[in-house]
Amino acid sequence: MKKTVLLFAGLSLFALSGCATTQYVDDRVAPLESRTSAIEKRLDALENRMNSLETTVDAQKTSAQDAKISADRAAARAEAAATRAEEALDKSKKALELQQKK
């Protein structure tokens, strides 16, 4: 009988010490809820900023591609002009040589 009373008393103390009241849980959870809410707001702001930056990067990428196309075209025109200039120089040299031989 004495063992039963001690066992019951021990179990009662264990059960009472392990239970949390609703107020205790609310007191512990409330600060976490406000911190979580603040973190969610910051995360949303960062996501919006990241989306804005992605849009800007895409626009800059398109602009850079257009600039590269224009530069490639200008380089091709410059090479063609240089070739024509070299041909003209060769012709003038030949004409000068012919004139000097006469």
Side-chain angles (χ1 to χ4, degrees):
M1 171 89 172
K2 189 174 182 182
K3 287 184 181 181
T4 307
V5 170
L6 284 174
L7 181 63
F8 181 72
L11 288 174
S12 296
L13 284 175
F14 180 73
L16 289 175
S17 66
C19 293
T21 64
T22 304
Q23 185 62 42
Y24 175 81
V25 171
D26 288 345
D27 290 345
R28 298 293 182 196
V29 170
L32 296 176
E33 286 179 354
S34 65
R35 287 179 62 194
T36 302
S37 177
I39 290 170
E40 286 175 346
K41 287 179 184 176
R42 287 183 59 202
L43 179 61
D44 288 342
L46 288 172
E47 284 177 346
N48 289 338
R49 185 171 180 205
M50 185 179 70
N51 290 336
S52 174
L53 289 173
E54 283 178 353
T55 302
T56 302
V57 166
D58 288 343
Q60 293 297 326
K61 182 180 176 182
T62 301
S63 179
Q65 288 171 340
D66 291 346
K68 182 185 180 309
I69 290 169
S70 295
D72 289 344
R73 288 180 184 160
R77 287 192 306 269
E79 287 177 19
T83 301
R84 288 191 308 273
E86 287 174 0
E87 290 171 355
L89 179 63
D90 288 342
K91 285 181 183 179
S92 65
K93 282 182 183 179
K94 287 180 185 178
L96 184 60
E97 287 174 8
L98 286 175
Q99 200 174 40
Q100 286 178 354
K101 286 182 181 179
K102 288 186 179 182

